[in-house]
């Protein structure tokens, strides 16, 4: 049964509408704001409404907020979108058209672990239970494809996963290639990838149905226009969203057949 929230009155500041944007916390809060705030500031030059970035320190808190419909716009993982669409009616606007999202399993470069089977009964680090590529899909593969027994350790962010593995505090950890590439060289160079999950369309930037259609489309067109500039392209590469493209629910519906609900954990 759908639980779509009733529309609420828009917030206003100095006579302008203000829409909130939530971003899944793949990175710690300061880095996330450093990446996103310049993009939103640039978008506002093309829009007749303001954009307020709303942070969440941990992925479970982000999940609670979008499930309650607290964000007008939200950048979320593809499985988050399926849940958000079901409960609140969120729909995708934009995604990266240049790549697929895959989960990766990393180990310390100097460790003896060469295959997934080598990790039997070891501690594995994950950002949060429902981080899609890094945890949800990865855990589904480890159980259904490899019948691996392991001890999960949830450390909140992708960066914390990589640091745990680099420091030897976990035998392996789940992440995605884009966040691995953004780690400091001293961390990244101490890791190697031993497994990749199947691929899917990347994180969509989505919108709540209470946002009027004209504002949704204005936001999408402003984003695509900004992406077409040299400066905007550099900013979006940090998300990363290398080639923004129009997104639809059809991009993500195939995931409904992946049986991920069995591994989804409500916190």
């Amino acid at each position: 049964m759908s639980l779509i929230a009733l529309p609420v009155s828009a917030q206003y500041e100095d006579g302008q509408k203000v829409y909130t944007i939530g971003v899944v916390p793949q990175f710690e809060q300061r880095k996330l704001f450093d990446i996103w705030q310049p993009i939103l500031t640039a978008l506002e030059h093309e829009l007749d409404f303001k954009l307020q970035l709303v942070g969440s320190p941990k992925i479970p808190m982000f999940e609670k907020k979008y499930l309650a419909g607290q964000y007008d716009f939200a950048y979320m993982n593809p499985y988050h979108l399926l849940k958000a669409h079901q409960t609140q009616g969120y729909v995708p606007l934009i995604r990266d058209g240049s790549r697929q999202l895959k989960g990766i399993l990393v180990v310390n470069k100097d460790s003896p672990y060469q295959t997934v089977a080598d990790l039997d009964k070891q501690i594995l680090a994950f950002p949060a239970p429902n981080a899609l590529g890094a945890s949800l899909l990865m855990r589904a593969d480890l159980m259904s494809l490899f019948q691996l027994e392991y001890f999960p350790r949830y450390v909140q962010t992708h960066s914390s996963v990589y640091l745990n593995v680099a420091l030897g505090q976990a035998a392996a950890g789940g992440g995605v290639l884009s966040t691995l590439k953004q780690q400091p060289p001293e961390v990244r160079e101490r890791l190697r990838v031993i497994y990749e999950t199947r691929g899917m369309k990347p994180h969509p930037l989505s919108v709540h149905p209470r946002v009027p259609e004209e504002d949704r489309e204005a936001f999408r067109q402003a984003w695509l226009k900004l992406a077409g500039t040299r400066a905007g392209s550099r900013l979006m590469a940090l998300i990363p969203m290398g080639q923004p493209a129009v997104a639809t629910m059809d991009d993500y519906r195939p995931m409904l057949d992946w049986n991920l609900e069995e591994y989804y954990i409500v916190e």
Side-chain angles (χ1 to χ4, degrees):
M1 178 179 177
S2 176
L3 299 175
I4 296 175
L6 294 174
V8 298
S9 300
Q11 299 181 48
Y12 284 82
E13 180 180 310
D14 299 328
Q16 274 191 305
K17 279 188 290 189
V18 180
Y19 289 122
T20 56
I21 294 188
V23 177
V24 61
Q26 294 175 308
F27 308 106
E28 53 88 17
Q29 288 293 287
R30 181 175 297 179
K31 181 174 181 179
L32 187 147
F33 272 76
D34 286 346
I35 290 171
W36 280 85
Q37 191 56 59
I39 295 173
L40 302 189
T41 299
L43 290 173
E44 287 180 333
H45 293 306
E46 299 291 331
L47 300 169
D48 61 3
F49 49 82
K50 294 184 178 181
L51 300 168
Q52 178 185 356
L53 184 59
V54 180
S56 297
K58 300 178 181 179
I59 291 175
M61 180 59 68
F62 172 79
E63 292 172 342
K64 289 177 181 177
K65 288 182 178 180
Y66 78 69
L67 289 172
Q70 292 186 21
Y71 303 122
D72 297 313
F73 296 90
Y75 179 73
M76 55 182 64
N77 78 41
Y79 191 73
H80 284 159
L81 172 65
L82 297 182
K83 302 291 287 187
H85 180 73
Q86 178 186 26
T87 59
Q88 288 287 334
Y90 282 92
V91 292
L93 291 176
I94 303 159
R95 61 172 174 82
D96 189 352
S98 65
R99 63 187 175 91
Q100 283 199 315
L101 174 65
K102 295 181 180 181
I104 58 172
L105 193 65
V106 300
V107 298
N108 190 294
K109 183 179 66 174
D110 298 325
S111 78
Y113 309 115
Q114 301 297 324
T115 69
V116 172
D118 295 334
L119 297 168
D120 187 51
K121 296 182 174 62
Q122 297 297 315
I123 295 174
L124 306 189
F126 303 98
N130 304 324
L132 180 57
S135 181
L136 186 62
L137 183 55
M138 182 63 69
R139 289 185 294 109
D141 279 8
L142 295 180
M143 294 295 292
S144 63
L145 300 181
F146 298 98
Q147 294 79 50
L148 187 74
E149 292 186 42
Y150 61 91
F151 302 99
R153 174 184 291 169
Y154 299 109
V155 296
Q156 307 306 333
T157 67
H158 289 229
S159 297
S160 293
V161 168
Y162 301 132
L163 191 58
N164 268 257
V165 177
L167 295 177
Q169 296 174 0
V176 296
L177 192 59
S178 60
T179 58
L180 177 62
K181 288 180 178 178
Q182 294 193 29
Q183 299 310 300
E186 61 268 23
V187 174
R188 188 176 64 247
E189 292 168 5
R190 294 176 65 177
L191 303 172
R192 54 186 168 87
V193 178
I194 64 168
Y195 178 71
E196 291 187 354
T197 68
R198 76 200 90 175
M200 70 206 87
K201 295 292 193 296
H203 291 44
L205 204 156
S206 305
V207 62
H208 194 280
R210 65 172 166 262
V211 177
E213 181 65 37
E214 60 268 26
D215 289 349
R216 301 185 206 183
E217 192 57 30
F219 180 95
R220 175 156 47 197
Q221 293 306 318
W223 187 284
L224 295 174
K225 181 178 178 180
L226 179 62
T229 68
R230 182 174 299 178
S233 179
R234 285 199 300 265
L235 290 174
M236 292 179 186
L238 299 174
I239 293 177
M241 191 181 288
Q243 185 180 316
V246 173
T248 70
M249 282 304 301
D250 287 342
D251 293 330
Y252 301 100
R253 286 196 175 98
M255 291 175 54
L256 293 171
D257 298 327
W258 291 7
N259 198 34
L260 296 180
E261 186 70 26
E262 181 179 345
Y263 301 94
Y264 187 83
I265 297 175
V266 178
E267 295 191 68

